[in-house]
């Protein structure tokens, strides 16, 4: 068991290393391909060639690529000083880069943006898991009923309406719609949990619904299919033959069998979403990781793009490890190494 | 017969409407099981044995099947009974075990939990009392270190141990009738005899009647009091076990007898019955065995034979051949060749 866990963590570190190489290469090599000096990505367009050369030398863009990579990577672990001795900035570990455009370390930006994304994703996950799994189980248990048909239609709507469309409608209705719907006439802004938990939740509610709508639809369809498959298993026949109530057969024996896979799915989705929910964060102007990445891309702020990308990769890798651990806890056959 | 048998099945039909047509899995089946008796139900794969067995517990979903006829357990009608009434019968009065104990046990619950649950659903007892009862049952079926095995998961048991646990679970509420659907088919040959012996011993100890479903006449010969021979959803012959083996009165039974491997096999050629069972959607208008029968004549193709006395009052067979002719054929042609 310990050996297994150690193997998994080592594997995860390996994947992260590969991710760092890929991230580094893409963003370091791109300027070479497009023949735009690296320095421009750091300082902005209105830079004279002389200034650019100075910047290049200062940050070591003239050094070999592998050396730059090593400096960048070791900076993550030990922190690093950027620039020459005169106007150096210290970027404390874990240093994921420093944006001279904004004069802030990328790590600092990530730390500030992550709670926003976390707030959005966790709340939405509660909604989509509760809603999707419950609806899927009921739809499967009452196959062909009005509930089953209705949830099928709503799910299809859910997966076919793009987020930005439903999100825009929602924002419009809640902030500028008819007076009985204008619950957020003051606008929907992010309020940190530590500042005001009630306003945090109230203002996040529409964001949660907007994000959860589509995913709930997916989870409903998926849970329904998994439950239908499970309900034809032999152990379900056994459960019925024991004289268990239908509620117990479906809600205990049936549901228990699909939970490990639901958890896997949810874990991977969480890992992917925690790296930033670009569309939703953009729509609602919430300063999360998605928004950070979007702004980084639109201003060509290279250190920010690299930092958010690597952090997103890190979250996905962590999610995979966590999912594996959950699976081992939830499935005794895996737990016993069977 | 004045005294009512424990289980009385009359003209039982279980039909499944499918896109291809109506599947007549069981069609006009009648038999009795007396208290404490072991009834064998034999027939080739697909002859409707499992479907009939599940019908006794009312396990076929009403929406997907049509069950007609009479199944009367201790005076109570099962066909058409309310779900709650059936539920109280299942497990407490009539229990069932299945072919594959691995897929029939829930993979994510411990053996002990599954046993306790079966006990608690029909008995108002504490968890502790249910646990004690479960351990007692596990000991009774010969599971070593029962108290420790209580917390084991099904995958940690061997096939034979799993079937023992299934038997323990089936008998935990002391039912009057146990339906064992091919309980040894999925097991190693070496443990098959042990499991049969266990079922026999426990049925004696608990005074339970057993319906033993099998495709193996050898098993029937060793274990059963009476035998029902099924073919294409119908009973072709039923008799006391000695009678059936000494004076079988249906060409289908002769065929089955011819396909039993024997210890003193000198010729070494096993002769399965030539041909395939008929489609249950398009049954022949006459005798369902006629297409494969070596003794068919005129009316066999057009007229369905009735189940009628053949030799003695409780030896019934469904065949157009006159009884004396069949006795003659058996004595002169079939028996000597076996
Ligand atoms: N739910 C169902 N829908 C349609 N056909 C079924 C269903 N269950 C069983 N059958 C058919 O009924 C026939 C008898 O099956 P079964 O009772 O399992 O045979 P066996 O004698 O081997 O136990 C088979 O041909 C099977 O395909
Ligand atoms: Mg069967």
């Amino acid at each position: 068991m310990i050996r297994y866990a150690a193997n998994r963590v080592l594997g995860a570190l390996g994947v992260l290393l590969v991710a760092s190489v890929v991230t580094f290469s893409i963003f370091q090599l791109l300027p070479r391909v497009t023949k735009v000096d690296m320095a421009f990505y750091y300082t902005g367009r209105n830079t004279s060639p002389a200034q650019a050369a100075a910047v290049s030398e200062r940050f070591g863009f003239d050094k070999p690529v592998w050396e730059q990579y090593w400096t960048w990577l070791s900076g993550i672990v030990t922190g690093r000083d950027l620039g020459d001795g005169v106007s150096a900035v210290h970027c404390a570990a874990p240093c994921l880069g420093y944006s001279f455009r904004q004069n802030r370390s990328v790590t600092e930006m990530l730390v500030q943006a992550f709670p926003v994304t976390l707030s959005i994703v966790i709340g939405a996950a509660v909604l989509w898991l509760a809603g999707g799994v419950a609806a899927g189980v009921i739809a499967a248990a009452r196959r062909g009923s009005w509930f089953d048909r209705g949830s099928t239609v709503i799910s299809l709507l859910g997966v076919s309406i793009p987020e930005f469309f439903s999100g825009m409608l929602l924002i419009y209705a809640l902030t500028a719609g008819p007076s009985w719907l204008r619950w957020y006439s003051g606008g929907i802004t992010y309020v940190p949990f530590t500042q005001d938990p009630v306003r945090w939740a109230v203002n996040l509610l529409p964001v949660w619904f907007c994000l959860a709508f589509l995913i709930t639809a997916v989870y409903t369809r998926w849970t329904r299919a998994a439950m239908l498959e499970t309900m034809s298993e032999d152990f379900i026949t056994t459960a019925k033959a024991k004289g268990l109530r239908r509620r117990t057969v479906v809600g205990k024996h049936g549901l228990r069998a699909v939970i490990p896979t639901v958890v896997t799915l949810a874990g991977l989705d969480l890992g992917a979403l925690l790296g930033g929910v670009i569309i939703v964060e953009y729509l609602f102007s919430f300063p999360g990781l998605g928004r950070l990445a979007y702004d980084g891309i639109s201003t060509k702020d290279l250190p920010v793009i690299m930092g958010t990308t690597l952090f997103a990769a890190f979250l996905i890798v962590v999610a995979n490890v966590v999912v594996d651990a959950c699976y081992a806890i939830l499935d005794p056959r895996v737990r016993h190494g069977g | 017969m004045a005294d009512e048998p424990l289980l009385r099945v009359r003209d039982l039909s279980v039909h499944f409407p499918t896109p291809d047509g109506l599947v007549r899995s069981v069609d006009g089946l009648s038999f009795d099981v007396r208290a404490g008796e072991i009834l064998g139900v034999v027939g080739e794969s697909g002859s409707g044995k499992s479907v009939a067995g599940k019908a006794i517990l009312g396990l076929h979903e009403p929406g997907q099947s049509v069950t007609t006829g009479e199944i009367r357990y201790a005076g109570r009608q099962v066909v058409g009974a309310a779900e709650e009434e059936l539920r109280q019968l299942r497990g407490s009065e009539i229990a069932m075990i299945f072919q594959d104990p691995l897929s029939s046990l829930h993979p994510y619950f411990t053996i002990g939990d599954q046993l306790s649950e079966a006990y608690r659903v029909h008995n108002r007892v504490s968890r502790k009392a249910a646990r004690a009862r479960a351990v007692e049952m596990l000991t009774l079926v010969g599971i070593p270190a029962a108290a420790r095995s209580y917390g084991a998961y099904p995958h940690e048991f061997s096939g034979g141990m799993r079937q023992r646990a299934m038997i323990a679970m089936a008998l935990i509420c002391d039912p009057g009738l146990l339906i064992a659907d091919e309980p040894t088919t999925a097991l190693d040959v070496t443990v098959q005899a042990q499991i049969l012996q266990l079922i026999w011993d426990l049925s004696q100890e608990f005074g339970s009647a057993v319906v033993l479903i099998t495709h193996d006449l050898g098993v029937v010969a060793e274990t059963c009091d009476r035998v029902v021979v099924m073919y294409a959803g119908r009973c072709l012959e039923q008799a006391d076990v000695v009678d059936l083996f000494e004076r079988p009165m249906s060409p289908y039974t002769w065929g089955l007898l011819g396909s039993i491997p024997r210890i003193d096999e000198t010729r070494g050629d096993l002769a399965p019955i030539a041909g395939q069972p008929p489609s249950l959607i398009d049954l022949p208008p006459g005798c369902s065995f006629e297409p494969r029968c070596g003794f068919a004549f005129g009316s066999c193709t057009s007229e369905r034979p009735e189940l009628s006395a053949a030799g003695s009052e409780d030896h019934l067979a469904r065949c157009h051949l006159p009884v004396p002719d069949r006795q003659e054929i058996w004595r002169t042609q079939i028996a000597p060749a076996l």
Side-chain angles (χ1 to χ4, degrees), chain B residues 97-99 101 159-167 183-184 187 195:
Chain B
I97 60 175
F98 303 92
Q99 180 169 334
M161 286 297 156
R162 279 180 212 129
Q163 196 60 294
R164 283 173 194 268
M166 279 296 287
I167 293 168
T184 60
L187 304 179
I195 295 295

Side-chain angles (χ1 to χ4, degrees), chain B residues 25 43-49 232-233 277 280:
Chain B
S25 296
E44 288 169 293
S45 171
S47 48
K49 308 181 297 290
L280 296 172

Side-chain angles (χ1 to χ4, degrees), chain A residues 64-127:
Chain A
V65 175
W66 62 266
E67 203 182 318
Q68 291 188 45
Y69 171 71
W70 178 248
T71 313
W72 179 66
L73 190 69
S74 54
I76 298 175
V77 183
T78 61
R80 65 195 260 219
D81 290 304
L82 291 131
D84 48 29
V86 186
S87 58
V89 277
H90 180 68
C91 175
C95 174
L96 286 165
Y98 190 91
S99 164
F100 284 91
R101 298 273 179 86
Q102 305 183 41
N103 270 320
R104 284 174 70 203
S105 86
V106 174
T107 307
E108 201 182 307
M109 293 184 221
L110 291 174
V111 166
Q112 199 170 51
F114 184 60
V116 182
T117 302
L118 185 69
S119 301
I120 296 174
V121 173
I122 291 296
V126 170
L127 286 183

